[in-house]
Amino acid sequence: MKSEIIGVGTELLLGQIANTNAQWISKELAHYGISVYFHSAVGDNIDRVEKTFEQAADRSDIVFVTGGLGPTEDDLTRDAASRLFQAELIEDIQSLANIEGYFAKNNRRMTENNRKQALVLNGGRVLANEEGMAPGQLYHYKDTLFVFLPGVPSEMKRLMTEQVFPYLVHNYQLESEIKSEMLRFIGIGESQLEHDLQDLISSQSNPTIAPLAGEGDVAIRLTASGANAAELLASLKTEILERVGAHYFGSDSITIEEAVQDILVQKGLKAGAAESLTGGKFIEKLISLKGASAVCEGGFVVYTPDAKKSILQVPADIIDSYGTVSEQCAAKMAENAQKLLNIDIAISFTGVAGPTESEGHQPGLVYIGLKAKDAPASVSRYYFDGSRDKIRGRAVVKGYELLFHYLKKII
């Protein structure tokens, strides 16, 4: 069964709001074995909306339409559908009563244009909207079921959950459930990951494998269908992790900072940071997580040489002899942060974010120091390409990568 989702509203095309409705519907449809083949967004133009509906009817079994059911002149979903389906728009008595009741309950005067929200396609099935005003509707056009839904997410979700999904289960022979899992990796490039799994990717059928690049990490989306979808996913995941599991940090929506936090919690450790070019970006990510106080004592932002000396107590002779952008300075920053914060592990960042060189070094040079427990500090040197913001961002991600792998190794 093929389905697609259409979002109606110029605000979607202008980027004023994100089409989270399509994301939610797609995810929920997978639980019912309904595949989504297309996502579309169309502006508030009746000809284009009608054409989009016509195209959808030619290629899909079910079409979910969100938005365009409001009271204003640019809410054109009903009119476009009426024109394409050659179905009269009629006023639904119960929907009008709900709308009038809404205004009365809120002690507001109902303007005439709000009656428009009670208009429905003659011959369709009305979906009463208990969360808002405009009703939804199911309408069969040729061999395609159109599901018209309000654009307000809370209203759409309630209609889908309480009325649309039960209708589909009762009236359609649905496929077995579709299951999907996103495996996330760090410290390995997309091309290397694909190379290591090439035979699995080339021979894929069910489950399918799709490598995806991210900002500093890479992911593999596994998708399986059928009665044994969960078992198929688990088996393939095991095989993949046997090959590249050293770089795996979690599944689905987990971030690398959440993975680091999880290990810190498991091992009962506290971490902190001393940051120069990253300006607090590293510690901000960690502190943003729920429960951060259990694993994070704090951090220092020491941007200038004077701040490094006075706040972090980096000896003047290190800065005078080697500079702030150096292995020696990064090591001392990590050592002193660990000591001053009285923590188990500290990470430090120093380097040149640009746009101009500093201390004779080109933009992109970054030193990251790690100091854990009684072990000596270790420092890694990197060159990152890109703008000032990209260099800083990549340094933060690399810091989390280093910390993640280090934490996995220690007792």
Side-chain angles (χ1 to χ4, degrees), residues 26-269:
S26 289
K27 187 175 181 180
E28 294 301 311
L29 289 176
H31 297 310
Y32 296 87
I34 300 175
S35 298
V36 178
Y37 281 61
F38 303 97
H39 280 192
S40 303
V42 58
D44 300 316
N45 176 284
I46 192 167
D47 294 329
R48 289 196 288 272
V49 175
E50 181 185 2
K51 187 67 177 177
T52 302
F53 290 173
E54 184 178 21
Q55 183 182 41
D58 289 339
R59 65 191 184 188
S60 297
D61 301 302
I62 307 178
V63 180
F64 298 88
V65 181
T66 63
L69 298 178
T72 61
E73 288 186 9
D74 59 357
D75 288 307
L76 301 171
T77 293
R78 302 180 198 81
D79 301 281
S82 173
R83 202 161 80 173
L84 176 63
F85 304 160
Q86 297 185 8
E88 180 187 6
L89 287 173
I90 60 173
E91 197 168 73
D92 182 65
I93 296 174
Q94 186 57 54
S95 295
L96 181 59
N98 289 343
I99 294 169
E100 291 173 337
Y102 174 86
F103 280 95
K105 183 172 65 176
N106 289 278
N107 197 28
R108 292 170 53 194
R109 185 178 67 87
M110 176 178 154
T111 57
E112 186 62 26
N113 62 347
N114 278 287
R115 296 181 69 96
K116 179 182 178 181
Q117 295 182 96
L119 293 177
V120 297
L121 297 161
N122 190 21
R125 175 171 176 156
V126 177
L127 306 174
N129 186 353
E130 303 297 335
E131 192 82 16
M133 288 186 278
Q137 193 167 14
L138 304 177
Y139 194 93
H140 288 272
Y141 172 65
K142 295 182 179 179
D143 295 324
T144 301
L145 170 66
F146 277 79
V147 181
F148 295 102
L149 300 157
V152 179
S154 60
E155 298 177 25
M156 177 276 295
K157 290 176 182 179
R158 185 167 178 181
L159 285 177
M160 286 289 289
T161 302
E162 296 182 359
Q163 299 185 60
V164 177
F165 288 136
Y167 176 88
L168 295 177
V169 169
H170 186 265
N171 291 277
Y172 287 82
Q173 187 71 37
L174 300 179
E175 299 286 339
S176 302
E177 184 175 7
I178 298 172
K179 285 191 171 293
S180 183
E181 183 174 359
M182 193 83 78
L183 309 183
R184 298 195 176 276
F185 303 85
I186 198 162
I188 184 171
E190 183 184 12
S191 58
Q192 183 63 52
L193 186 65
E194 188 170 345
H195 175 270
D196 293 345
L197 304 175
Q198 188 56 57
D199 58 319
L200 298 178
I201 294 172
S202 299
S203 61
Q204 65 177 304
S205 56
N206 183 28
T208 59
I209 306 171
L212 304 165
E215 282 295 324
D217 63 358
V218 292
I220 297 175
R221 186 184 65 240
L222 308 181
T223 306
S225 60
N228 61 337
E231 291 80 4
L232 290 171
L233 272 189
S235 176
L236 181 57
K237 178 180 177 180
T238 297
E239 187 170 3
I240 289 172
L241 295 187
E242 285 175 354
R243 301 188 189 188
V244 291
H247 302 281
Y248 172 74
F249 67 84
S251 292
D252 298 327
S253 61
I254 191 171
T255 62
I256 185 60
E257 55 266 26
E258 288 172 328
V260 166
Q261 182 191 43
D262 288 344
I263 300 178
L264 290 170
V265 169
Q266 291 166 14
K267 300 193 175 185
L269 302 176

Side-chain angles (χ1 to χ4, degrees), residues 1-24:
M1 183 172 292
K2 300 177 183 178
S3 74
E4 68 178 271
I5 303 166
I6 300 170
V8 179
T10 301
E11 64 275 10
L12 296 172
L13 300 179
L14 294 176
Q16 293 171 336
I17 64 170
N19 194 0
T20 57
N21 285 337
Q23 180 187 29
W24 186 88

